[in-house]
Amino acid sequence: MTNDRKSGGGSRARGMGLAALRGLALALVSLPGAVLCFTLSLVSLALIPIGVGLVTTPYVLNGVRAFANWRRVLAAEWGGVRIPSAYRPLPSPWVANPWTRTFGMLRDPATWRDLRWLPVDMTAGFLTALLPAVLLFYPLEGFAIAAGLWRVFTDSAGGTYWYGFVPVTGQASALGAGALAAVLLVFAHFYTPRLLLTHFRLTRAVLGSHQGELAERVRVLTETRRDAVDTSAAELRRIERDLHDGAQARLVAMGMDLGTIEMLLDKDPEQARQLLAQARKSSADALAELRDLVRGIHPPVLAERGLGDAVRALALRLPVTTEVNAELPGRAEEPVESAAYFAVSEVLTNAVKHADADRIWIDLHHRDDMLRVTVTDNGRGGAVIGAGSGLSGVERRLGTFDGVLAVSSPAGGPTMVTMEIPCALS
């Protein structure tokens, strides 16, 4: 029991320190990020009447969405707080003019939720993220004062140094500051993780959808169902085209060769043998094409050994060095595994073809009923969802299973693509 108590105390202390460090990092990064996004959004919206904002607003709002989605990922990973995103799909910039894209984004209620969240995040959000770190680290100053450093502090303060509400003028008052620090440390021990959770709940309260949430959910499900139907129809057309142009044509040609061979067996045995060899080669080619087609529908290694080994096999076929870290204690349902596999395949194809990467890292793990896949490459960056990159197709594929896609790809790299699909493992 003593060991269990020590283990529980150590776990609580680690959780307290981790929450404080995460809160401090979040405060230092989120404040300038929120201020920058909010300022750029206001300037870009103000420039719409003169036409400049029509060009800049889609890029700025996409940056705001990326920032908000990053906070959604942190809320889920660090606080277990799920904040679903429900952005309306936008037409590709290749087929839509700036006016259509700008006002398409401005008509999306999720865009205005993001913009309302930014000033809250830079004020109350910053304070609730910083408070866990203050509650843990501020007592260290009190203990330093009690240990004798009050002399240095009082000299620099001109005779009196305030620690909290305790005026430090001598050793007795310095011990009072140490007592206050001990009380604060006790509060930190119990409330630091809860304060960080409060920050994420505040984020969900402002960033999440409330009014009309059911209608928004129905709309998103309708769109993802339509995307799934379109994707299935396109896949069937691809299979039919591949069969017609590949294996079917070879089988027809082989049948014609066999008919010719029957006529030549008695008249020209040598020519018949040559046609037999050609028919044998055609049958082997047709079999190889059928195998490739089946592999494109559902890879055998995925069906037999699961997602982790299937991704490892996929990585072995890449021309660049690829490391795979898969921690999956079980298997997801077949449709989920298939969606995740082909999503990873598309992301890897983009990295090899467009990113000029020479190293790729793939991480797969399952936690809190969420399958999370991260693909990172050291390429040149600049990847975005849409713009013909193929990532929009990945987003639609994941959306069928209520999955989300987040892309971090600054110019110059690295690029990190994160995919999450809610599912349970068997």
Side-chain angles (χ1 to χ4, degrees):
M1 183 175 296
T2 302
N3 291 334
D4 292 342
R5 190 174 301 168
K6 290 181 179 179
S7 177
S11 177
R12 183 181 291 272
R14 285 193 298 272
M16 176 179 63
L18 188 60
L21 292 175
R22 285 176 171 176
L24 180 60
L26 193 58
L28 294 178
V29 174
S30 65
L31 177 61
V35 171
L36 178 62
C37 289
F38 189 66
T39 303
L40 291 178
S41 299
L42 291 181
V43 172
S44 186
L45 293 174
L47 293 177
I48 288 179
I50 63 174
V52 177
L54 293 176
V55 179
T56 61
T57 298
Y59 296 99
V60 172
L61 293 182
N62 274 328
V64 173
R65 289 186 177 188
F67 182 64
N69 283 329
W70 173 65
R71 298 296 293 278
R72 288 185 175 96
V73 172
L74 289 186
E77 288 190 347
W78 290 358
V81 177
R82 293 278 300 159
I83 309 175
S85 61
Y87 297 111
R88 295 177 180 176
L90 292 173
S92 170
W94 302 106
V95 298
N97 55 47
W99 178 279
T100 302
R101 288 184 58 80
T102 296
F103 286 95
M105 298 184 80
L106 293 179
R107 283 193 296 267
D108 190 347
T111 297
W112 296 103
R113 283 197 299 270
D114 290 350
L115 295 178
R116 287 195 301 267
W117 163 70
L118 290 174
V120 175
D121 189 55
M122 70 179 70
T123 53
F126 171 74
L127 292 177
T128 53
L130 187 61
L131 193 55
V134 172
L135 201 58
L136 178 62
F137 298 127
Y138 189 53
L140 300 180
E141 180 184 348
F143 294 142
I145 292 173
L149 289 181
W150 62 270
R151 297 179 178 85
V152 177
F153 292 150
T154 53
D155 290 342
S156 61
T160 301
Y161 179 81
W162 287 86
Y163 177 77
F165 56 83
V166 176
V168 179
T169 57
Q171 185 60 43
S173 55
L175 293 176
L180 176 60
V183 173
L184 292 176
L185 193 60
V186 171
F187 275 95
H189 184 69
F190 289 102
Y191 294 106
T192 295
R194 298 181 186 179
L195 288 171
L196 186 62
L197 182 61
T198 300
H199 167 82
F200 292 126
R201 287 176 175 171
L202 173 66
T203 303
R204 180 178 61 185
V206 183
L207 196 58
S209 175
H210 298 290
Q211 294 182 350
E213 185 174 357
L214 181 59
E216 187 76 4
R217 179 63 175 162
V218 170
R219 182 193 62 77
V220 172
L221 288 176
T222 301
E223 292 175 354
T224 55
R225 183 185 63 182
R226 183 177 66 246
D227 291 338
V229 172
D230 293 343
T231 301
S232 298
E235 187 69 11
L236 287 175
R237 289 193 297 270
R238 181 189 68 82
I239 294 172
E240 183 181 12
R241 183 180 63 252
D242 291 345
L243 283 173
H244 182 272
D245 298 340
Q248 180 178 336
R250 292 187 182 277
L251 291 174
V252 170
M254 187 172 63
M256 296 175 62
D257 289 341
L258 290 175
T260 305
I261 290 170
E262 286 181 346
M263 294 185 295
L264 293 176
L265 279 175
D266 296 329
K267 299 179 180 180
D268 192 349
E270 183 64 27
Q271 182 69 18
R273 281 194 294 271
Q274 293 178 5
L275 289 177
L276 277 174
Q278 183 177 338
R280 187 185 305 110
K281 183 178 183 303
S282 296
S283 67
D285 292 341
L287 182 59
E289 290 181 357
L290 286 174
R291 286 174 175 170
D292 291 339
L293 184 61
V294 170
R295 189 178 295 111
I297 298 172
H298 194 77
V301 67
L302 179 62
E304 296 171 2
R305 305 183 63 177
L307 181 61
D309 287 338
V311 171
R312 290 188 181 95
L314 191 64
L316 290 175
R317 297 197 295 268
L318 295 179
V320 300
T321 303
T322 305
E323 298 180 12
V324 180
N325 177 32
E327 298 179 2
L328 301 176
R331 295 192 59 174
E333 296 180 353
E334 287 188 6
V336 174
E337 284 192 336
S338 180
Y341 174 85
F342 287 108
V344 173
S345 178
E346 179 66 29
V347 172
L348 292 177
T349 300
N350 285 350
V352 172
K353 285 186 175 181
H354 307 296
D356 294 332
D358 58 17
R359 198 170 188 86
I360 300 175
W361 297 265
I362 306 173
D363 179 73
L364 301 93
H365 66 266
H366 184 273
R367 186 174 62 188
D368 298 330
D369 290 333
M370 186 69 64
L371 174 64
R372 189 169 190 265
V373 184
T374 303
V375 180
T376 307
D377 67 70
N378 63 348
R380 62 188 178 189
V384 293
I385 299 177
S389 66
L391 291 177
S392 57
V394 174
E395 187 177 41
R396 289 194 300 270
R397 184 188 293 272
L398 298 179
T400 306
F401 302 91
D402 286 341
V404 295
L405 173 71
V407 179
S408 173
S409 183
T415 295
M416 178 165 46
V417 179
T418 303
M419 296 164 279
E420 288 188 343
I421 305 177
C423 66
L425 299 186
S426 61

mmCIF file of all heavy atoms in Angstrom, residues 155-172:
data_model
loop_
_atom_site.group_PDB
_atom_site.id
_atom_site.type_symbol
_atom_site.label_atom_id
_atom_site.label_comp_id
_atom_site.label_asym_id
_atom_site.label_seq_id
_atom_site.Cartn_x
_atom_site.Cartn_y
_atom_site.Cartn_z
ATOM 1 N N ASP A 155 16.363 45.234 -0.993
ATOM 2 C CA ASP A 155 17.278 46.303 -1.407
ATOM 3 C C ASP A 155 16.897 46.850 -2.777
ATOM 4 O O ASP A 155 16.896 48.065 -2.999
ATOM 5 C CB ASP A 155 18.710 45.766 -1.445
ATOM 6 C CG ASP A 155 19.245 45.494 -0.035
ATOM 7 O OD1 ASP A 155 18.650 46.035 0.924
ATOM 8 O OD2 ASP A 155 20.226 44.741 0.088
ATOM 9 N N SER A 156 16.551 45.948 -3.695
ATOM 10 C CA SER A 156 16.188 46.415 -5.036
ATOM 11 C C SER A 156 14.833 47.094 -5.030
ATOM 12 O O SER A 156 14.561 47.943 -5.882
ATOM 13 C CB SER A 156 16.165 45.231 -6.012
ATOM 14 O OG SER A 156 15.191 44.272 -5.610
ATOM 15 N N ALA A 157 13.959 46.765 -4.054
ATOM 16 C CA ALA A 157 12.630 47.379 -3.988
ATOM 17 C C ALA A 157 12.624 48.634 -3.124
ATOM 18 O O ALA A 157 11.576 49.240 -2.941
ATOM 19 C CB ALA A 157 11.610 46.374 -3.451
ATOM 20 N N GLY A 158 13.726 48.993 -2.568
ATOM 21 C CA GLY A 158 13.778 50.217 -1.762
ATOM 22 C C GLY A 158 13.260 50.041 -0.353
ATOM 23 O O GLY A 158 12.717 50.974 0.247
ATOM 24 N N GLY A 159 13.374 48.871 0.240
ATOM 25 C CA GLY A 159 12.992 48.680 1.633
ATOM 26 C C GLY A 159 11.877 47.687 1.842
ATOM 27 O O GLY A 159 11.837 46.995 2.848
ATOM 28 N N THR A 160 10.921 47.583 0.923
ATOM 29 C CA THR A 160 9.796 46.654 1.060
ATOM 30 C C THR A 160 9.584 45.932 -0.263
ATOM 31 O O THR A 160 9.521 46.564 -1.317
ATOM 32 C CB THR A 160 8.505 47.385 1.450
ATOM 33 O OG1 THR A 160 8.706 48.081 2.686
ATOM 34 C CG2 THR A 160 7.365 46.386 1.619
ATOM 35 N N TYR A 161 9.482 44.621 -0.166
ATOM 36 C CA TYR A 161 9.218 43.819 -1.367
ATOM 37 C C TYR A 161 7.938 43.042 -1.122
ATOM 38 O O TYR A 161 7.773 42.396 -0.079
ATOM 39 C CB TYR A 161 10.377 42.858 -1.638
ATOM 40 C CG TYR A 161 10.169 41.987 -2.854
ATOM 41 C CD1 TYR A 161 10.435 42.485 -4.127
ATOM 42 C CD2 TYR A 161 9.696 40.685 -2.734
ATOM 43 C CE1 TYR A 161 10.246 41.697 -5.255
ATOM 44 C CE2 TYR A 161 9.503 39.895 -3.847
ATOM 45 C CZ TYR A 161 9.769 40.415 -5.110
ATOM 46 O OH TYR A 161 9.568 39.636 -6.216
ATOM 47 N N TRP A 162 7.020 43.101 -2.050
ATOM 48 C CA TRP A 162 5.731 42.433 -1.892
ATOM 49 C C TRP A 162 5.762 41.081 -2.585
ATOM 50 O O TRP A 162 6.043 40.985 -3.776
ATOM 51 C CB TRP A 162 4.604 43.286 -2.494
ATOM 52 C CG TRP A 162 4.282 44.499 -1.666
ATOM 53 C CD1 TRP A 162 4.883 45.711 -1.719
ATOM 54 C CD2 TRP A 162 3.285 44.575 -0.655
ATOM 55 N NE1 TRP A 162 4.341 46.571 -0.805
ATOM 56 C CE2 TRP A 162 3.332 45.890 -0.124
ATOM 57 C CE3 TRP A 162 2.344 43.694 -0.122
ATOM 58 C CZ2 TRP A 162 2.484 46.327 0.886
ATOM 59 C CZ3 TRP A 162 1.501 44.126 0.879
ATOM 60 C CH2 TRP A 162 1.580 45.419 1.375
ATOM 61 N N TYR A 163 5.475 40.062 -1.798
ATOM 62 C CA TYR A 163 5.244 38.735 -2.362
ATOM 63 C C TYR A 163 3.765 38.430 -2.178
ATOM 64 O O TYR A 163 3.300 38.132 -1.065
ATOM 65 C CB TYR A 163 6.090 37.672 -1.665
ATOM 66 C CG TYR A 163 5.812 36.271 -2.185
ATOM 67 C CD1 TYR A 163 6.333 35.856 -3.403
ATOM 68 C CD2 TYR A 163 5.011 35.385 -1.472
ATOM 69 C CE1 TYR A 163 6.078 34.589 -3.896
ATOM 70 C CE2 TYR A 163 4.746 34.111 -1.954
ATOM 71 C CZ TYR A 163 5.271 33.718 -3.163
ATOM 72 O OH TYR A 163 5.000 32.464 -3.657
ATOM 73 N N GLY A 164 3.027 38.497 -3.265
ATOM 74 C CA GLY A 164 1.577 38.380 -3.149
ATOM 75 C C GLY A 164 1.061 39.547 -2.341
ATOM 76 O O GLY A 164 1.289 40.717 -2.670
ATOM 77 N N PHE A 165 0.369 39.251 -1.228
ATOM 78 C CA PHE A 165 -0.123 40.302 -0.333
ATOM 79 C C PHE A 165 0.729 40.417 0.924
ATOM 80 O O PHE A 165 0.342 41.098 1.894
ATOM 81 C CB PHE A 165 -1.591 40.023 0.056
ATOM 82 C CG PHE A 165 -1.806 38.680 0.689
ATOM 83 C CD1 PHE A 165 -1.577 38.473 2.044
ATOM 84 C CD2 PHE A 165 -2.239 37.604 -0.079
ATOM 85 C CE1 PHE A 165 -1.778 37.247 2.624
ATOM 86 C CE2 PHE A 165 -2.443 36.353 0.503
ATOM 87 C CZ PHE A 165 -2.212 36.172 1.856
ATOM 88 N N VAL A 166 1.912 39.769 0.938
ATOM 89 C CA VAL A 166 2.791 39.798 2.111
ATOM 90 C C VAL A 166 3.910 40.812 1.868
ATOM 91 O O VAL A 166 4.726 40.629 0.955
ATOM 92 C CB VAL A 166 3.382 38.402 2.390
ATOM 93 C CG1 VAL A 166 4.364 38.467 3.557
ATOM 94 C CG2 VAL A 166 2.274 37.388 2.653
ATOM 95 N N PRO A 167 3.991 41.894 2.665
ATOM 96 C CA PRO A 167 5.118 42.829 2.545
ATOM 97 C C PRO A 167 6.348 42.258 3.262
ATOM 98 O O PRO A 167 6.321 41.974 4.458
ATOM 99 C CB PRO A 167 4.602 44.091 3.244
ATOM 100 C CG PRO A 167 3.595 43.588 4.237
ATOM 101 C CD PRO A 167 2.985 42.344 3.658
ATOM 102 N N VAL A 168 7.409 42.073 2.530
ATOM 103 C CA VAL A 168 8.622 41.464 3.083
ATOM 104 C C VAL A 168 9.587 42.577 3.467
ATOM 105 O O VAL A 168 10.081 43.322 2.607
ATOM 106 C CB VAL A 168 9.269 40.509 2.068
ATOM 107 C CG1 VAL A 168 10.534 39.898 2.652
ATOM 108 C CG2 VAL A 168 8.286 39.414 1.664
ATOM 109 N N THR A 169 9.838 42.702 4.786
ATOM 110 C CA THR A 169 10.787 43.699 5.292
ATOM 111 C C THR A 169 11.858 43.084 6.175
ATOM 112 O O THR A 169 12.838 43.752 6.499
ATOM 113 C CB THR A 169 10.033 44.781 6.095
ATOM 114 O OG1 THR A 169 9.306 44.152 7.159
ATOM 115 C CG2 THR A 169 9.068 45.556 5.197
ATOM 116 N N GLY A 170 11.649 41.829 6.568
ATOM 117 C CA GLY A 170 12.615 41.170 7.430
ATOM 118 C C GLY A 170 12.438 39.665 7.345
ATOM 119 O O GLY A 170 11.621 39.144 6.571
ATOM 120 N N GLN A 171 13.195 38.952 8.170
ATOM 121 C CA GLN A 171 13.169 37.495 8.106
ATOM 122 C C GLN A 171 11.812 36.943 8.511
ATOM 123 O O GLN A 171 11.335 35.952 7.946
ATOM 124 C CB GLN A 171 14.268 36.906 9.000
ATOM 125 C CG GLN A 171 14.409 35.391 8.906
ATOM 126 C CD GLN A 171 14.748 34.920 7.494
ATOM 127 O OE1 GLN A 171 15.577 35.509 6.809
ATOM 128 N NE2 GLN A 171 14.077 33.860 7.034
ATOM 129 N N ALA A 172 11.163 37.572 9.488
ATOM 130 C CA ALA A 172 9.851 37.076 9.940
ATOM 131 C C ALA A 172 8.831 37.166 8.812
ATOM 132 O O ALA A 172 8.092 36.209 8.533
ATOM 133 C CB ALA A 172 9.378 37.869 11.156
#
